[in-house]
Amino acid sequence: MTDALCHLVVDGNDVLEFKLVRSVDDLENEETSFGPDMCHQVFGENENIFGYTDLHIKLYYSAGSLQTYLGIDYTDKIEPSKSEGMKADDVEGALTKVIAPGYITNLDHFVSQLKKDESFTPHGKMLHAFNVTPFDGESRSFEVYYCETSTQGFLEYHQRLQTFLLWYVDAASFIDVDDDQWTFFTVFEKYQTSEGSVRYATAAYATVYRYYAYPNHQRPRISQVLTLPPFRKLGICAQMLQAVYSHFIIIPEVIDLTVEDPSPDFQRVRDYVDAKNCERLPAFQPAALYLGFSAEMAIQARNKFKINKKQARRIYEILRLKNTNTSDKTAYLNYRLDVKNRLNAPFQKKKLEMKKLQKVLKPEEFVATVTVTGANETQARLSSQYHSLEIEYRRVIHRMEQD
């Protein structure tokens, strides 16, 4: 591409503007705007858009029912006849593939559709209500709802909601809503307008798939979790996750709850919720923690909160660190060794397998099969892994201590 055309290339993240519109005033209020974290799942790996001058893409949603407006503005567009056949990227075509059908392109029509939110109420069954008081504001009310694919009207709403995943969750994909094993948890802010009427605004959601477990059990797996940007840093995800737990732990057929490829941010929320829950259990009291991870810890975590064994071990490590006086060199050393032994276990297993292999292979075959890792390299790897883990654990502990 020539330098003369470079000004026609923009980063899609810079030209996209989102709004969750509660009133007409929000359309002119810059504070209600937010942008994407990524756009490669819509506009391609390099996230660039070619062919426009002063491009501005507006994706506005009514705050409750998520009626959608798409506006694409620009001052100039490249013409193939004047640029050796080069065409501008089809922005609307790319967006049409991912946003729900029935979107609006006329802003006045969108404004008229805002009235639908006056009568909008969340779909499904309310599971949990909670209040949040930000450091710089008044108390805000939220409610968590549960839906299934059969919940009347929900799938049409979900079709609009799921598009947010592509802008905020890497490797996101839309789920198969024809599969009735999917369940949905949505969070809404319940607020009052200046006239005093009650309205709802979409804030967050999660999808959970109920996997079958022999002979007649379930192992639900949390799949997608998203808190919309205007509602972050309010503790909403933790409240939603607790509502997911509360829904499933009373179902006898549920063995445990798992999470599909958790992001670091979600793992941190999960650790916080699980640690807060488990520190009330007898098996996780300080005296028991100092004795090391036990089968009883795994049993109590599963029976009470449907936490799987791998996550129960992680929670043990967080709570033991929380209760360890790191000024006590012996206690702190014992803790670090305990965690490092767990981190090193897979490598020790591999070492044993290689010893078995050595017995059945000729020396030259064995040398060709294995690259021996030196003791210093192993020690450095363990130290690095442990250091990263302790930083994560301390972030969880810090949040627990802020409550």
Side-chain angles (χ1 to χ4, degrees):
M1 187 181 295
T2 64
D3 291 341
L5 296 176
C6 284
H7 72 285
L8 296 174
V9 179
V10 293
D11 184 331
N13 295 302
D14 295 336
V15 298
L16 270 161
E17 179 194 14
F18 297 120
K19 283 182 185 286
L20 291 168
V21 182
R22 299 188 181 195
S23 70
V24 178
D25 294 341
D26 289 343
L27 296 174
E28 301 299 325
N29 184 354
E30 289 186 6
E31 291 183 5
T32 63
S33 298
F34 56 99
D37 288 346
M38 63 191 75
C39 67
H40 65 272
Q41 296 172 114
V42 179
F43 296 123
E45 193 173 342
N46 60 16
E47 302 194 318
N48 289 339
I49 300 173
F50 169 74
Y52 302 87
T53 303
D54 301 322
L55 179 65
H56 185 194
I57 304 168
K58 302 172 184 176
L59 262 176
Y60 297 168
Y61 294 82
S62 60
S65 61
L66 302 180
Q67 302 297 321
T68 311
Y69 164 76
L70 170 62
I72 303 172
D73 299 330
Y74 51 87
T75 57
D76 199 13
K77 180 179 177 180
I78 195 169
E79 293 183 30
S81 60
K82 297 179 181 178
S83 55
E84 300 179 351
M86 297 188 79
K87 292 181 179 180
D89 291 340
D90 183 3
V91 173
E92 185 166 359
L95 289 165
T96 301
K97 293 176 183 176
V98 297
I99 61 177
Y103 63 88
I104 299 163
T105 55
N106 180 289
L107 191 57
D108 290 334
H109 184 201
F110 174 71
V111 169
S112 71
Q113 292 296 297
L114 292 177
K115 290 190 177 296
K116 287 187 176 181
D117 271 20
E118 293 177 8
S119 58
F120 172 80
T121 55
H123 303 88
K125 173 188 175 185
M126 191 179 82
L127 299 179
H128 176 51
F130 61 97
N131 291 325
V132 173
T133 305
F135 294 116
D136 56 352
E138 298 179 358
S139 178
R140 299 169 65 177
S141 299
F142 294 88
E143 294 176 353
V144 185
Y145 287 79
Y146 170 78
C147 292
E148 297 182 352
T149 57
S150 58
T151 302
Q152 187 174 1
F154 176 75
L155 289 183
E156 187 181 343
Y157 163 81
H158 174 261
Q159 197 173 11
R160 298 189 289 272
L161 174 61
Q162 68 178 351
T163 59
F164 283 105
L165 289 171
L166 300 175
W167 311 111
Y168 299 105
V169 178
D170 205 8
S173 60
F174 295 160
I175 64 174
D176 177 11
V177 293
D178 290 331
D179 188 336
D180 62 8
Q181 293 307 306
W182 283 107
T183 59
F184 308 85
F185 297 80
T186 49
V187 183
F188 293 85
E189 180 173 13
K190 185 179 183 179
Y191 68 98
Q192 284 195 335
T193 64
S194 54
E195 292 83 31
S197 58
V198 173
R199 300 273 181 85
Y200 291 89
T202 302
Y205 91 112
T207 59
V208 181
Y209 190 82
R210 295 172 292 192
Y211 278 94
Y212 167 76
Y214 182 84
N216 56 354
H217 292 91
Q218 293 178 19
R219 299 192 78 177
R221 180 182 295 176
I222 298 168
S223 177
Q224 302 162 322
V225 179
L226 177 65
T227 302
L228 296 175
F231 299 95
R232 290 177 182 171
K233 308 293 183 185
L234 294 175
I236 288 173
C237 188
Q239 292 277 358
M240 178 169 63
L241 182 57
Q242 186 61 62
V244 172
Y245 284 169
S246 297
H247 173 77
F248 283 111
I249 59 178
I250 59 174
I251 300 174
E253 292 78 18
V254 171
I255 297 172
D256 57 21
L257 276 154
T258 58
V259 180
E260 181 181 330
D261 300 327
S263 67
D265 285 344
F266 182 72
Q267 183 61 50
R268 206 172 298 126
V269 174
R270 180 192 188 191
D271 289 342
Y272 163 75
V273 173
D274 289 349
K276 289 284 288 183
N277 285 333
C278 285
E279 71 175 346
R280 307 196 307 264
L281 298 177
F284 287 86
Q285 296 310 300
L289 293 169
Y290 300 138
L291 299 176
F293 184 66
S294 67
E296 185 59 24
M297 290 177 183
I299 290 168
Q300 287 189 21
R302 186 187 67 230
N303 289 350
K304 188 70 176 176
F305 299 113
K306 307 292 187 183
I307 295 171
N308 63 68
K309 186 177 180 180
K310 182 181 178 183
Q311 178 68 1
R313 166 75 201 209
R314 187 176 170 95
I315 297 308
Y316 147 75
E317 291 176 1
I318 291 169
L319 292 178
R320 181 167 173 180
L321 178 61
K322 183 173 184 277
N323 287 279
T324 294
N325 178 4
T326 51
S327 300
D328 182 333
K329 290 184 178 180
T330 302
Y332 191 26
L333 175 63
N334 288 339
Y335 173 78
R336 296 198 305 274
L337 288 173
D338 186 53
V339 175
K340 286 181 179 180
N341 283 337
R342 194 262 302 168
L343 292 173
N344 197 41
F347 298 94
Q348 288 296 105
K349 184 180 178 183
K350 188 177 180 183
K351 208 169 170 184
L352 289 172
E353 289 171 353
M354 297 315 294
K355 281 186 178 179
K356 292 177 184 176
L357 202 59
Q358 192 172 15
K359 292 177 182 177
V360 297
L361 292 178
K362 294 175 183 177
E364 60 273 19
E365 290 174 332
F366 181 73
V367 169
T369 305
V370 62
T371 302
V372 179
T373 303
N376 289 340
E377 191 180 330
T378 301
Q379 192 60 40
R381 171 184 51 74
L382 269 179
S383 294
S384 174
Q385 277 187 306
Y386 174 82
H387 180 68
S388 298
L389 204 58
E390 184 173 316
I391 289 172
E392 282 300 306
Y393 287 177
R394 288 195 180 280
R395 291 181 72 172
V396 175
I397 292 166
H398 176 72
R399 181 171 179 183
M400 293 175 72
E401 291 171 342
Q402 297 305 303
D403 289 351

